[in-house]
């Protein structure tokens, strides 16, 4: 858990959800904008920056590495780039907090520096597998010590990196991005091939910063020895944060919400397709391009949902949305079958286990397998949930409270601030009845 104090929530049925809201900026884009802005030549202005603990931790790390970052207002950062070779080593460990994205991308960025670095994280991050990045980085010539594959990461500087061709064993944008960032410092070509295409923000942003890169879904290739040139970055609203409201408004009768200017990168909107397969009423309006990314307003109305067999091809495009999706499945009529989601076991918590246990505590029958679950839709009752300090588990069970026949208490919710500062106020403003107990 981050921060000093523990926060629990109580969620119960509110009114229908109504109104227009803007959820905070995209976490993935905010991390990358800070990192690329830091090693670019010139000044990068980031608008719509996520003021979450994860992205603030990355900003603090870049500052510790000698980058001047101004915060003129909420959601804005001005990054004074130091150029590709301008970072300075820090004798102190670099604390990534709860952020897997921060740590894995930084591992790639720091592997080719002249100085040593140590990356640390909180209790949850310290349990997350890092071999998936350290092993391919070692093949590029990096030397990174771990504690049996877990953080802290001790990254030895002064290594000469060389490009490799790497076929990822699991679909992971974090691993792909770590290798591409190391590839900036490597001799020759770095090429990454994915088993299923994942979010391509690193590739798009490198191209926007002027680094020559070839990429298409599932493939990226670049060469070391170029320069990054600062450009301004407009961060769209985070689809993963909008997801909680898409599910909540779908489930609560009489609801209609408009979520403004949400990022609609095709590699992020698997949940939208999955909910529509279940019968959800979600429309995209004012679709436009902002900073090279598709964005649009999402208008969601209540609709009765039915269980589905989730197409496995959607899994990477909704990897962070499974906790919310499981709540939709629990309320849907019939059975929902999910397969091919073993990755959920190594997120901020074991999300398969956390969701299965939480739904059972509320009276839903769930069969869990090593890489999936079968959820039998039914009536949700009140009960007590352990969020396991996982932001997305906490927010998902806040939705459950809206449709359960009794109060849902959710323990250990402080980490919601890692990705969604202001969630409670925004949720209550549109009809949730969510109470915080410190
Ligand atoms: C992210 C990639 C995904 C996702 C995470 C953010 C990124 O992780 O779950 O929240 O910004 O690259 P994996 O690469 O582990 O799938």
């Amino acid at each position: 858990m981050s921060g000093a104090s523990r926060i629990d929530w109580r969620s119960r049925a509110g009114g229908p959800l109504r109104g227009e809201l803007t959820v905070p900026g995209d976490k993935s884009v905010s991390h990358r904008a800070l990192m690329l802005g830091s090693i670019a030549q010139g000044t990068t202005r980031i608008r719509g920056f996520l003021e979450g603990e994860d992205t603030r931790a990355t900003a603090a790390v870049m500052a510790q590495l000698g980058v001047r970052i101004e915060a003129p207002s909420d959601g804005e950062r001005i990054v004074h780039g130091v150029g590709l070779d301008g970072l300075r080593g820090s004798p102190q460990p670099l604390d990534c907090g709860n952020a897997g994205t921060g740590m894995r991308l930084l591992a790639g960025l720091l592997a080719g520096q002249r100085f040593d670095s140590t990356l640390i994280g909180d209790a949850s991050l310290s349990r997350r597998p890092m071999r998936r990045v350290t092993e391919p980085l070692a093949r590029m010539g990096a030397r990174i010590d771990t504690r049996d594959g877990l953080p802290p990461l001790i990254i030895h500087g002064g290594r000469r990196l060389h490009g490799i061709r790497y076929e990822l064993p699991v679909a992971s944008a974090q691993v792909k991005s770590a290798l591409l960032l190391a590839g900036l410092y490597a001799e020759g070509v770095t090429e990454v091939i994915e088993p299923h295409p994942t979010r391509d923000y690193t590739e798009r942003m490198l191209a926007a910063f002027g680094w020559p890169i070839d990429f298409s879904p599932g493939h990226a290739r670049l060469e070391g020895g170029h320069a990054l040139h600062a450009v301004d970055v407009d961060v769209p609203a985070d689809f993963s944060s909008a997801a909680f409201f898409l599910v909540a408004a779908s489930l609560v009768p009489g609801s209609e919400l408009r979520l403004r200017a949400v990022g609609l990168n095709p590699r992020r909107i698997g949940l939208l397709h999955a909910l529509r397969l279940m019968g959800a009423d979600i429309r995209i309006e004012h679709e436009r391009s902002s900073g090279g990314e598709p964005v649009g307003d999402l208008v969601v109305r209540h609709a009765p949902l039915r269980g589905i067999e989730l197409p496995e091809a959607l899994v990477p495009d909704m990897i962070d949305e499974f906790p919310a999706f499981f709540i939709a499945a629990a309320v849907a009529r019939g059975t929902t079958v999910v397969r091919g989601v073993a990755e959920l076991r190594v997120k901020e918590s074991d999300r398969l286990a956390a969701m299965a246990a939480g739904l059972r505590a509320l009276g839903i029958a769930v069969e869990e397998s090593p890489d999936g679950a079968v959820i039998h839709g039914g009536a949700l009752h009140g009960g007590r949930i352990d969020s396991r300090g996982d932001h997305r588990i906490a927010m998902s069970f806040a939705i459950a409270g809206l449709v359960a026949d009794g109060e849902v208490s959710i323990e250990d919710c402080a980490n919601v601030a890692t990705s969604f500062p202001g969630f409670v106020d925004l949720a209550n403003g549109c009809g949730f009845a969510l109470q915080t107990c410190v």
Side-chain angles (χ1 to χ4, degrees):
M1 189 178 111
S2 70
S5 60
R6 172 182 164 122
I7 296 172
D8 294 341
W9 287 348
R10 283 190 208 144
S11 178
R12 50 191 168 71
L17 306 181
R18 295 197 158 260
E20 292 198 15
L21 30 145
T22 306
V23 299
D26 189 278
K27 185 151 68 78
S28 295
V29 176
S30 296
H31 280 298
R32 287 159 172 82
L34 285 170
M35 291 183 202
L36 293 195
S38 292
I39 55 167
Q41 294 169 4
T43 301
T44 294
R45 182 183 290 267
I46 308 173
R47 293 192 199 82
F49 176 76
L50 170 64
E51 297 287 356
E53 288 173 1
D54 277 12
T55 43
R56 286 182 171 179
T58 292
V61 167
M62 298 321 303
Q64 221 176 314
L65 295 169
V67 181
R68 190 158 69 85
I69 301 177
E70 294 173 76
S73 66
D74 231 34
E76 212 180 336
R77 290 294 183 280
I78 298 172
V79 184
H80 297 274
V82 295
L84 210 59
D85 295 311
L87 296 177
R88 282 197 321 258
S90 165
Q92 303 304 325
L94 305 165
D95 190 351
C96 301
N98 190 246
T101 306
M103 183 173 281
R104 293 190 178 124
L105 269 60
L106 282 166
L109 179 60
L110 295 173
Q113 305 292 334
R114 280 159 296 140
F115 50 82
D116 300 344
S117 309
T118 300
L119 295 174
I120 59 170
D122 71 2
S124 150
L125 183 52
S126 300
R127 288 191 295 268
R128 297 186 65 187
M130 291 295 148
R131 273 207 186 105
R132 53 181 61 198
V133 285
T134 59
E135 201 265 328
L137 288 172
R139 288 199 210 175
M140 295 177 76
R143 208 181 126 207
I144 304 178
D145 300 329
T146 64
R147 186 177 46 88
D148 259 346
L150 302 177
L153 301 183
I154 298 166
I155 303 170
H156 298 267
R159 311 283 299 178
R160 277 170 70 98
L161 303 187
H162 51 86
I164 57 167
R165 181 175 192 277
Y166 188 67
E167 291 191 23
L168 270 77
V170 284
S172 164
Q174 294 177 355
V175 176
K176 169 178 67 175
S177 301
L179 300 191
L180 294 175
L181 292 175
L184 305 182
Y185 293 88
E187 245 173 61
V189 173
T190 298
E191 190 173 6
V192 189
I193 297 117
E194 304 176 284
H196 301 283
T198 64
R199 64 193 72 189
D200 56 1
Y201 297 123
T202 305
E203 298 92 305
R204 287 175 186 237
M205 210 181 282
L206 282 169
F209 277 74
W211 195 284
I213 175 167
D214 290 330
F215 64 100
S216 55
H219 175 257
R221 183 181 190 278
L222 56 73
E223 218 176 330
H226 298 277
L228 294 167
H229 301 283
V231 285
D232 292 349
V233 178
D234 284 311
V235 183
D238 199 322
F239 183 88
S240 294
S241 296
F244 301 105
F245 293 97
L246 293 181
V247 171
S250 295
L251 299 186
V252 180
S255 296
E256 176 168 345
L257 287 178
R258 175 182 293 269
L259 301 157
R260 291 189 214 98
V262 180
L264 298 175
N265 181 301
R267 298 279 72 84
R268 294 292 302 283
I269 57 171
L271 179 78
L272 180 64
H273 301 304
L275 290 175
R276 280 179 173 164
L277 288 175
M278 298 172 91
D281 176 357
I282 304 172
R283 277 180 296 125
I284 300 177
E285 290 186 358
H286 303 128
E287 204 169 348
R288 56 208 183 267
S289 166
S290 165
E293 282 291 328
V295 298
D297 294 353
L298 295 174
V299 180
V300 49
R301 293 202 185 92
H302 164 71
L305 302 186
R306 54 185 175 273
I308 56 166
E309 267 209 33
L310 183 74
E312 243 180 274
L314 286 178
V315 167
D317 297 348
M318 55 185 285
I319 194 67
D320 291 334
E321 282 61 75
F322 277 96
F325 175 73
F326 273 43
I327 302 294
V331 177
R333 201 159 52 83
T335 298
T336 293
V337 181
V338 177
R339 290 191 202 91
V341 293
E343 273 297 294
L344 297 184
R345 298 207 181 272
V346 290
K347 293 293 178 188
E348 285 83 328
S349 69
D350 177 343
R351 287 183 173 160
L352 259 181
M355 290 308 299
L359 286 177
R360 281 192 205 112
L362 303 185
I364 299 295
V366 182
E367 293 141 42
E368 194 187 331
S369 67
D371 78 334
V374 178
I375 301 148
H376 300 276
L380 279 174
H381 303 303
R384 180 171 288 274
I385 304 295
D386 180 2
S387 83
R388 307 187 183 198
D390 184 329
H391 53 139
R392 300 202 197 279
I393 303 294
M395 290 185 275
S396 298
F397 281 104
I399 303 170
L402 286 173
V403 284
D405 63 11
E407 189 174 84
V408 175
S409 325
I410 311 155
E411 294 171 356
D412 204 0
C413 302
N415 273 343
V416 168
T418 61
S419 71
F420 202 149
F423 172 77
V424 171
D425 288 344
L426 206 62
N428 285 339
C430 72
F432 278 65
L434 192 56
Q435 206 186 328
T436 302
C437 326
V438 181

